[in-house]
Amino acid sequence: MAGAFDDEMEGTMTIDEYIEDIEAQELEADLVLGGDEGKECTYSKGYMRRQALFSCLTCTPNGNAGVCTACCLSCHDGHEIIELWTKRNFRCDCGNSKFQEFSCKLYADKEPENTGNNYNQNFKGSYCTCFCPYPDPNAEEQVEMIQCCICEDWFHESHLGLEASEEIPRDEEGEPLYEDFICQDCAMTCSFLKLYPRTIWASATQSNGSTIHTKEENLSEHVSAASASSVNIQADACSLQIPKLDPETSLSIQNVPLEEDTNISSDVVCCHAVANSDITCILGMDLSVASPVLEKKKPMFLAKSWRDLLCRCKTCVGVYAQKGIGYLIDKEDSLEEYEKVAKLKREENIQKQEGVALNLFDNLDHVAKIEILSGIADMKNEFKSFLESHDTSNPITSADVRQVFDNLAKKRQRLQ
């Protein structure tokens, strides 16, 4: 590791702590990159469900292009790069018409443009409603940001549209209790989620352990109250008597603002029934013609596995597609699935590396094996001797480490 010991260490740590820290950093990188080793351009894979992306402001200062991990490493080394974490349904742009005379070193034969790609302000290095960069060079301390699972932009906690940060669902240790976050603008597109029971919503928990009931939960209570009794529903000029709904069913309130103080009549509600012979709509209505109207923008915090509870009837799926959010019922779109695949790839790569090392060792002759084992033993003994004689009140410096390796080299020379 070139230059690793050029500067003196600040503070001290054990070897085990150092190794654990390195492994944690490697795992974090693997999770962000989705297990992509960065050896091949992903262009041939088409519009990938999700992949790590980067924007090169050196080549595309307008922020209208994105490149994959491999191209970032091979084609844009030394350039001004913005790490975008992950984006969905994207195809690598490296070397296409947006890069003018610049050609991709890994996959040169690309179409002029990827018309299916979507670009937001992140590609220019701007985030949140405040349009600040991250990290922000003007900030004394970098503030954590949250990514919207719909528009995929990042937001500061103070710019989410909440009255107080305590409304963000967290446990007593400050860890998030939500799986996904939807920003206040995208919440308007996903207003139909208000029709689902409170099981899809993450609840904020105070330090004393009591639960803060969010407006989302209160809205669910209003809808449940509206659907608890028999109602007369007029659909297509026909009067239908609908019996009491089961716990998994709710009604769409058409043209009625759904806010905490909204009074919803339980007598007559205007909606449309869904006629689907394949799958029965769990909402009991037609989202394409009836959906809740929100007077006020407010972000949403969704509980773990909330996507699994979304209705998948023909009509609802059509509405998701019309709104451009069909990916919500694609299991491979979720970050949880993305990281799960990354962990599996990491484990496979580690096992493969261990297998290569074992095969290499097994193919050595007896003398070579003895030399390797002897070298390992010498290094272990040298480090043990150093640690036993080292003053623990002083930090281990780069000079100390160099001395250990110099001693090993001298020992090998004497044996030769």
Side-chain angles (χ1 to χ4, degrees):
M1 189 182 300
F5 303 108
D6 290 344
D7 299 320
E8 299 296 334
M9 293 178 61
E10 296 183 1
T12 62
M13 66 170 61
T14 66
I15 293 178
D16 287 340
E17 288 174 339
Y18 177 75
I19 293 175
E20 288 177 2
D21 182 58
I22 293 297
E23 290 179 344
Q25 292 181 35
E26 289 179 348
L27 175 59
E28 182 178 359
D30 283 344
L31 293 181
V32 172
L33 299 179
D36 186 357
E37 296 181 356
K39 295 180 180 179
E40 297 180 0
C41 176
T42 61
Y43 181 83
S44 61
K45 298 179 181 179
Y47 293 91
M48 296 179 63
R49 282 186 170 91
R50 186 171 290 283
Q51 65 173 313
L53 286 178
F54 304 83
S55 176
C56 179
L57 296 186
T58 301
C59 296
T60 54
N62 292 328
N64 61 343
V67 301
C68 67
T69 301
C71 287
C72 176
L73 297 174
S74 299
C75 305
H76 302 273
D77 184 32
H79 292 189
E80 184 181 355
I81 297 294
I82 295 176
E83 182 180 349
L84 301 173
W85 200 29
T86 71
K87 299 290 184 183
R88 66 167 63 90
N89 300 332
F90 202 94
R91 196 174 195 183
C92 181
D93 286 320
C94 181
N96 65 15
S97 61
K98 296 182 178 181
F99 291 76
Q100 299 180 356
E101 301 301 322
F102 184 89
S103 179
C104 179
K105 298 177 182 178
L106 302 179
Y107 200 110
D109 187 20
K110 293 179 179 176
E111 293 293 329
E113 283 193 33
N114 295 315
T115 56
N117 285 352
N118 291 316
Y119 311 91
N120 63 8
Q121 63 171 344
N122 299 167
F123 288 78
K124 298 180 182 180
S126 298
Y127 304 88
C128 191
T129 56
C130 62
F131 313 111
C132 288
Y134 187 89
D136 188 350
N138 299 320
E140 295 182 1
E141 183 178 352
Q142 300 304 323
V143 181
E144 182 178 353
M145 303 182 79
I146 305 175
Q147 187 184 40
C148 173
C149 70
I150 304 297
C151 67
E152 298 188 297
D153 198 356
W154 293 80
F155 299 85
H156 296 102
E157 293 183 358
S158 58
H159 298 158
L160 298 183
L162 300 173
E163 295 178 3
S165 60
E166 286 74 17
E167 293 185 61
I168 301 175
R170 294 191 179 97
D171 61 20
E172 295 180 1
E173 297 179 352
E175 295 299 318
L177 291 171
Y178 57 91
E179 179 175 291
D180 281 318
F181 156 76
I182 299 178
C183 72
Q184 54 183 343
D185 285 334
C186 292
M188 305 297 285
T189 302
C190 300
S191 60
F192 63 90
L193 292 176
K194 301 291 187 181
L195 302 174
Y196 284 86
R198 68 169 58 188
T199 50
I200 76 166
W201 306 106
S203 299
T205 301
Q206 294 175 321
S207 58
N208 61 8
S210 61
T211 299
I212 302 174
H213 290 288
T214 62
K215 287 187 178 181
E216 285 81 3
E217 292 178 302
N218 292 326
L219 291 170
S220 294
E221 291 177 359
H222 284 311
V223 174
S224 297
S227 60
S229 60
S230 297
V231 296
N232 292 320
I233 296 181
Q234 292 187 350
D236 301 326
C238 296
S239 180
L240 304 176
Q241 182 70 24
I242 304 297
K244 183 177 180 180
L245 303 176
D246 60 51
E248 295 183 350
T249 308
S250 57
L251 293 174
S252 170
I253 312 304
Q254 186 177 27
N255 300 324
V256 177
L258 292 185
E259 278 299 321
E260 186 172 356
D261 298 325
T262 300
N263 293 319
I264 301 177
S265 172
S266 60
D267 297 326
V268 178
V269 183
C270 198
C271 77
H272 290 262
V274 176
N276 191 326
S277 58
D278 299 326
I279 301 176
T280 302
C281 180
I282 63 176
L283 296 177
M285 40 67 68
D286 189 343
L287 274 183
S288 63
V289 293
S291 61
V293 178
L294 306 181
E295 280 189 338
K296 182 180 179 181
K297 294 180 180 180
K298 190 168 181 66
M300 299 176 175
F301 295 92
L302 290 308
K304 184 176 177 60
S305 302
W306 69 279
R307 298 188 186 207
D308 295 340
L309 302 178
L310 295 182
C311 180
R312 285 163 169 74
C313 75
K314 183 178 181 181
T315 302
C316 285
V317 170
V319 171
Y320 305 153
Q322 186 271 329
K323 290 176 174 288
I325 55 175
Y327 49 78
L328 289 181
I329 54 175
D330 179 4
K331 189 171 182 63
E332 293 186 28
D333 174 78
S334 69
L335 286 175
E336 182 181 22
E337 186 67 18
Y338 178 81
E339 292 185 350
K340 179 181 177 181
V341 172
K343 289 179 181 178
L344 289 175
K345 289 182 179 179
R346 175 180 171 82
E347 292 175 0
E348 291 175 358
N349 289 335
I350 290 176
Q351 292 178 359
K352 187 184 298 182
Q353 291 171 6
E354 291 176 346
V356 170
L358 288 174
N359 289 335
L360 177 62
F361 187 78
D362 290 339
N363 291 330
L364 296 175
D365 58 35
H366 180 70
V367 174
K369 289 181 181 179
I370 293 298
E371 289 182 350
I372 290 177
L373 293 174
S374 177
I376 293 173
D378 289 342
M379 182 178 293
K380 180 180 178 181
N381 291 334
E382 190 64 34
F383 270 106
K384 181 179 179 181
S385 176
F386 165 75
L387 293 174
E388 288 176 346
S389 61
H390 183 72
D391 185 355
T392 56
S393 63
N394 296 323
I396 297 176
T397 66
S398 58
D400 293 330
V401 177
R402 291 193 188 96
Q403 186 61 51
V404 170
F405 283 99
D406 287 343
N407 292 341
L408 283 170
K410 292 176 181 178
K411 183 177 180 179
R412 296 296 295 176
Q413 291 175 356
R414 289 195 301 269
L415 293 176
Q416 292 175 354

